[in-house]
Amino acid sequence: MTAVSSRERYRDVLLTFLTLGLTSFGGPIAHLGYFHAELVRRRGWLSDTAYAELVALCQFLPGPASSQVGFALGMVRGGGVMGGVLAWVGFTLPSALALLALALVAASLEGPLASGVIHALKLVAVAVVAQAIWGMARTLCPDRRRAGLALLAMLGLALVQVAWTQVGVIALGALLGSLLCRDDKAALVRQQAGAAGLSLPVSTRLARACLITFFALLIALPLLASGSLVEIFYRAGALVFGGGHVVLPLLEASTVETGRIAVDTFLTGYGAAQAVPGPLFTFAAWLGAGMAQVGGDSAVLGAIIALLSLFLPGILLLIGVAPLWGRLRARPAARAALAGANAAVVGVLGMALYDPLWTTSVLSHLDVVIALAAFIALTRFALAPWKLVLAMVILGAVRGVM
């Protein structure tokens, strides 16, 4: 790869994820749908199978799954960790800056116009996730066994609603896949071809260094900097499974219950985080700024420290396990397990389409029609997601003032 082509790839990664960071509303599950629609279907950065492997891998790791997936997609396109960094910056910066700005005008976030726009964006998320599930199910659940595993994953999520359930059903899917999918010769041939499988450009030396750094910080920070912004947010990012919503109880315990920030400020920031695009973990920018101001420090510096500290552990782990993942995938037993895990991922996304997306977004018969129309626009007419977002924002504003 020449220096010029590297710059072009880096620019492509940054601009693509900046666009996604400005238009990807709806939370982590919706973000996975946006990534699939734009980077798998439209741009072909990697295959459906590789994307499902990546989602499964990031679901197993602590941290923000959608941001980890985006970081990995940046590495694939950019040819290394720098591509991942640029993807993270592009995807994260818009919402982080928006939350800092919204902190100054929080009172104006209420009213029918804002409510109408936010509701329309939730309907966009329903359509985007439905499109992702439709495409992934056709590729990853082509037979009764894997379709059954997807349904079993949905059943598990419906019956056991705790933070670890997503990890558990994917692990169960992998276990059952290792027993039921070994004779799926067509899938094994596709995996052996190499192009369809996930391959992240990370050296063993770098991976080892990232794993050492992850555990060293996890152990050292409580001893050397207990109660600091770095320690609070790094610990939360290192221990949370299940995405942005699950990190909130950890952060509340470390901020509100310790008197570092007022409960009203905490809840206002959480509400604002729902209204902006990008990862929910950028809520850290709001909290970091507020906690720094309470202590008489720079709000901007506090936001930067909190943001980096919350995202860092998940990224370190992703880079650290990347080479190991490639070696595991090369084994027949692991490939069969991956077939089951991939089917379970479809089930996880399917259940998330219902709860929380459908249950909190589709509130009337008209909402059903709008969500269905958005889904048809994406699947039948191949409308770019950002164009759909723009159209829905206009529609939501009109509905809000009527």
Side-chain angles (χ1 to χ4, degrees):
M1 185 185 300
T2 65
V4 173
S5 64
S6 294
R7 287 196 295 270
E8 291 174 350
R9 285 173 176 264
Y10 292 158
R11 184 168 59 251
D12 186 27
V13 168
L14 180 59
L15 293 179
T16 298
F17 275 92
L18 184 60
T19 301
L20 288 168
L22 290 167
T23 58
S24 296
F25 293 86
I29 299 299
H31 299 159
L32 297 179
Y34 283 107
F35 292 161
H36 183 270
E38 182 64 25
L39 306 180
V40 178
R41 287 298 185 188
R42 291 178 63 85
R43 295 175 179 263
W45 284 10
L46 73 174
S47 67
D48 276 330
T49 300
Y51 184 72
E53 289 183 25
L54 178 58
V55 172
L57 170 61
C58 293
Q59 290 285 357
F60 275 117
L61 299 176
S66 63
S67 293
Q68 289 169 315
V69 169
F71 191 95
L73 289 167
M75 285 199 294
V76 170
R77 177 60 177 168
V81 173
M82 179 56 68
V85 171
L86 292 174
W88 179 81
V89 170
F91 188 58
T92 306
L93 189 60
S95 57
L97 293 177
L99 285 175
L100 284 174
L102 288 171
L104 303 177
V105 293
S108 65
L109 292 177
E110 300 177 354
L113 179 61
S115 298
V117 171
I118 293 172
H119 185 64
L121 294 173
K122 290 181 178 180
L123 295 178
V124 172
V126 171
V128 170
V129 174
Q131 181 200 28
I133 295 170
W134 178 262
M136 295 178 71
R138 294 173 64 184
T139 302
L140 304 175
C141 301
D143 53 47
R144 293 180 179 178
R145 288 170 296 180
R146 279 175 285 181
L149 290 177
L151 291 175
L152 182 62
M154 294 181 69
L155 179 62
L157 290 168
L159 295 177
V160 184
Q161 300 180 7
V162 296
W164 292 86
T165 307
Q166 287 189 354
V167 177
V169 297
I170 294 175
L172 179 61
L175 176 61
L176 294 177
S178 67
L179 301 174
L180 301 176
C181 300
R182 291 197 180 214
D183 59 344
D184 186 1
K185 296 181 179 180
L188 296 184
V189 167
R190 288 195 300 270
Q191 293 282 2
Q192 289 170 342
L198 176 65
S199 178
L200 298 177
V202 176
S203 67
T204 302
R205 182 176 181 180
L206 176 60
R208 187 181 300 116
C210 286
L211 286 178
I212 293 173
T213 302
F214 170 82
F215 287 106
L217 289 174
L218 187 61
I219 295 171
L221 285 175
L223 299 176
L224 302 177
S226 179
S228 67
L229 285 179
V230 175
E231 190 270 332
I232 290 172
F233 286 92
Y234 186 89
R235 172 162 41 87
L239 299 179
V240 65
F241 286 88
H245 295 284
V246 182
V247 79
L248 294 174
L250 291 175
L251 290 177
E252 183 179 18
S254 301
T255 59
V256 176
E257 295 180 10
T258 58
R260 299 290 298 272
I261 199 168
V263 63
D264 288 343
T265 302
F266 186 93
L267 294 177
T268 299
Y270 176 57
Q274 311 300 313
V276 298
L280 187 57
F281 265 43
T282 53
F283 179 40
W286 176 288
L287 291 178
M291 293 167 68
Q293 287 178 319
V294 170
D297 299 320
S298 167
V300 174
L301 181 59
I304 293 173
I305 292 174
L307 194 68
L308 294 177
S309 299
L310 190 64
F311 278 97
L312 182 60
I315 292 174
L316 289 174
L317 278 178
L318 174 65
I319 298 173
V321 303
L324 176 62
W325 182 262
R327 288 196 293 270
L328 285 175
R329 185 178 55 81
R331 305 190 179 198
R335 291 197 298 268
L338 279 175
N342 291 342
V345 167
V346 174
V348 169
L349 292 177
M351 195 61 194
L353 174 62
Y354 172 71
D355 184 14
L357 287 177
W358 184 276
T359 57
T360 61
S361 304
V362 183
L363 307 177
S364 67
H365 293 127
L366 181 58
D367 287 344
V368 174
V369 175
I370 294 174
L372 180 60
F375 176 75
I376 293 173
L378 290 171
T379 56
R380 179 64 177 173
F381 299 102
L383 184 67
W386 71 267
K387 293 181 180 179
L388 179 63
V389 168
L390 180 60
M392 293 292 281
V393 165
I394 298 173
L395 176 62
V398 172
R399 289 184 69 188
V401 299
M402 289 181 61

